[in-house]
Amino acid sequence: MWNIIGSMANALFSVVVLMLVTRMLNKDDTDIFSIAWSISQLMVTIGTFQIRVYQATDVKQTFNFKQYCVFRFITIGAMLISSAVYIGMRGYTDYKAQIVMIICVYRAVDSLADVYEGWFQQKERLDLAGKALTYRIVFAVLAFGVILAKTQNLFYACWSLVVVYTICFFAFDVQYKNRVECLKSSGKLGKNLKWIVELFMEGLPLFVNAFIMMSITNTPKMVIDTAIQSGNIEQGAQTVFNILFMPASVLTLAYIVFRPLITQMAIMWGNQKYKKFIKILGKIILCLFGMAILLMIGSAVLGIPVLSIIYGMELKAYKVQLLVIIIGGCCYTFAAVLDNALVVIRKQYLLIVSYVISWIYIKIVAGPFVGKWKMLGASLGYTTAMFIFLVVTALIFVISFYAETKGKRGNKSEKI
């Protein structure tokens, strides 16, 4: 229950803070906050290096907690340096540069807490990870909202996220680590630092894929940001695009319900029961397809009115853009299902092909699309990139599946 609460709180965090900003500040500030949030999401992939899943499943303790922690300090340092370099490359100065950097610092603290929560999960205390995450987010939202309401100052409000996250990290994550008996042991670093390279290599494929996907998602936002600075798109467009983007992850959140079936797929695969493997995969896809249809219908009828009420903005002109973005989000979710299936059959390294092709495509089309169709162009750029990602991933899965099961499908009664 705590894990579910924490996951939901984490999913709603960006929705709530953006809602607070749009209702209390002007368009300039909301655009700056929106782009800062997007850049921090890209940079946090460097900070976490996507090691959490590996750490949580490292039950044989190939690496100990101290090693994971030191490695996380290294990746967080790389994240902060990368953030500063990226801000310089984008040409941000003064106020905008400060806001972006502060939000990246807040993400750095979150990345540090994540390595503790990965340790809790490994030791089968996921409840503590859920509690720490929930408390951190609740207190951060309260502080952010109160300071924003009292001062109308985005700079102070953003700093409150850093301060509250730091306090909560020590109050919950560190305290749990020190007080709960099963969490106290953390191992030794040792004189041989070869483990840093080994841990780096374990996380590298996951990091590369996550970074590329975040870059794909952010590219339309970066193009909009450039267009706003050059005066080709009106102020407030960045905020509107981020608001429209919020429902894109609804189907992905729904997929969390089906995640336990991935374990069943792994069992079927290990026992060479390929027909049952495909049957489970088909059921997941079919259920998600039904949900996708309901999501599209609901978004067409209620999407714009609900978003307009939540964010206090008039969004009637953006109904088509919303539906296009949601289609893109659905394509990503179906690709994620096939992504997980490829992990089960241990062909996940081939996914780099899907990510790179989609990344090249979005980098080519985003500028012309936004230049010609503005917000609709940004929406089309994202959705067509996700469609390509889905198609390439599906092709990789089909080819890999048949290559792996060739000559085995006639065994017993398991026939495709």
Side-chain angles (χ1 to χ4, degrees):
M1 285 301 299
W2 273 111
N3 181 48
I4 292 171
I5 292 169
S7 298
M8 292 302 296
N10 196 39
L12 291 171
F13 188 34
S14 58
V15 176
V16 175
V17 292
L18 183 59
M19 177 189 71
L20 292 171
V21 171
T22 57
R23 285 184 169 275
M24 297 185 193
L25 300 179
N26 57 43
K27 288 183 178 180
D28 289 349
D29 276 336
T30 54
D31 275 351
I32 290 172
F33 182 78
S34 296
I35 200 63
W37 200 264
S38 298
I39 291 171
S40 73
Q41 287 176 318
L42 176 65
M43 292 302 156
V44 80
T45 59
I46 302 174
T48 62
F49 208 70
Q50 301 301 295
I51 288 291
R52 170 69 180 270
V53 175
Y54 182 89
Q55 179 190 7
T57 55
D58 186 15
V59 291
K60 294 182 179 179
Q61 293 196 40
T62 306
F63 306 97
N64 60 52
F65 175 73
K66 279 189 178 178
Q67 291 173 331
Y68 281 114
C69 201
V70 169
F71 187 79
R72 186 59 59 92
F73 274 110
I74 294 170
T75 56
I76 288 173
M79 169 193 170
L80 293 175
I81 293 170
S82 299
S83 300
V85 171
Y86 191 80
I87 289 169
M89 289 173 59
R90 293 292 303 175
Y92 299 154
T93 57
D94 302 328
Y95 180 68
K96 188 172 185 178
Q98 291 173 25
I99 296 298
V100 175
M101 195 65 205
I102 293 168
I103 295 298
C104 288
V105 171
Y106 133 73
R107 292 282 187 183
V109 179
D110 194 35
S111 297
L112 184 57
D114 178 74
V115 77
Y116 277 74
E117 287 154 24
W119 175 248
F120 302 163
Q121 186 175 353
Q122 183 191 118
K123 293 299 182 179
E124 299 184 86
R125 292 305 308 266
L126 195 57
D127 59 315
L128 297 180
K131 283 182 180 180
L133 180 61
T134 302
Y135 296 152
R136 194 162 67 245
I137 289 171
V138 169
F139 287 129
V141 167
L142 290 174
F144 185 85
V146 169
I147 291 177
L148 203 60
K150 291 288 185 181
T151 67
Q152 301 291 303
N153 189 303
L154 183 60
F155 181 83
Y156 295 146
C158 288
W159 266 119
S160 74
L161 293 178
V162 177
V163 173
V164 171
Y165 259 55
T166 302
I167 293 172
C168 288
F169 166 67
F170 285 103
F172 301 112
D173 295 283
V174 174
Q175 288 301 310
Y176 290 153
K177 168 71 172 55
N178 293 335
R179 291 182 179 180
V180 179
E181 194 61 37
C182 69
L183 302 175
K184 288 182 179 179
S185 175
S186 55
K188 297 180 179 179
L189 288 178
K191 295 180 181 179
N192 188 352
L193 297 180
K194 214 166 74 171
W195 61 267
I196 294 178
V197 176
E198 293 172 355
L199 191 51
F200 175 85
M201 294 308 296
E202 291 291 350
L204 185 60
L206 297 171
F207 160 70
V208 170
N209 288 351
F211 189 85
I212 292 174
M213 178 50 67
M214 195 55 66
S215 178
I216 292 169
T217 302
N218 276 359
T219 294
K221 299 176 184 179
M222 295 299 109
V223 174
I224 290 174
D225 183 56
T226 302
I228 290 173
Q229 291 185 78
S230 62
N232 294 329
I233 293 182
E234 69 280 0
Q235 291 285 348
Q238 187 69 251
T239 304
V240 170
F241 188 76
N242 275 272
I243 290 171
L244 298 176
F245 212 86
M246 292 294 177
S249 60
V250 169
L251 194 65
T252 302
L253 289 173
Y255 175 47
I256 293 174
V257 177
F258 299 96
R259 285 279 171 83
L261 291 177
I262 300 299
T263 304
Q264 293 300 313
M265 288 171 61
I267 294 170
M268 294 303 118
W269 183 261
N271 293 329
Q272 296 188 8
K273 295 181 178 180
Y274 305 123
K275 188 175 181 180
K276 289 184 178 179
F277 173 90
I278 290 295
K279 191 174 181 181
I280 294 171
L281 180 62
K283 282 182 178 179
I284 294 173
I285 293 174
L286 189 61
C287 288
L288 287 174
F289 185 75
M291 290 181 179
I293 292 174
L294 292 176
L295 177 61
M296 288 298 299
I297 294 172
S299 299
V301 177
L302 299 173
I304 292 299
V306 170
L307 289 174
S308 297
I309 292 170
I310 291 174
Y311 292 99
M313 297 180 69
E314 183 53 66
L315 301 170
K316 282 184 181 178
Y318 302 104
K319 184 175 182 178
V320 174
Q321 288 88 330
L322 173 66
L323 296 178
V324 170
I325 289 172
I326 290 176
I327 290 172
C330 291
C331 287
Y332 171 75
T333 303
F334 290 122
V337 175
L338 297 175
D339 179 317
N340 290 167
L342 281 164
V343 172
V344 171
I345 67 177
R346 294 299 184 257
K347 294 293 181 182
Q348 67 269 28
Y349 59 88
L350 296 175
L351 283 166
I352 190 65
V353 177
S354 303
Y355 286 95
V356 169
I357 289 174
S358 304
W359 181 79
I360 292 172
Y361 169 80
I362 194 69
K363 289 297 180 182
I364 292 173
V365 307
F369 275 25
V370 172
K372 186 172 183 179
W373 297 302
K374 300 190 183 323
M375 293 282 285
L376 179 60
S379 307
L380 287 170
Y382 166 74
T383 297
T384 51
M386 290 301 98
F387 179 74
I388 290 171
F389 180 62
L390 171 60
V391 170
V392 178
T393 302
L395 286 173
I396 291 172
F397 172 75
V398 171
I399 293 169
S400 298
F401 178 82
Y402 278 95
E404 284 294 301
T405 59
K406 187 178 181 181
K408 301 177 184 177
R409 294 194 295 271
N411 291 347
K412 301 179 182 178
S413 60
E414 286 298 318
K415 295 180 180 180
I416 297 299

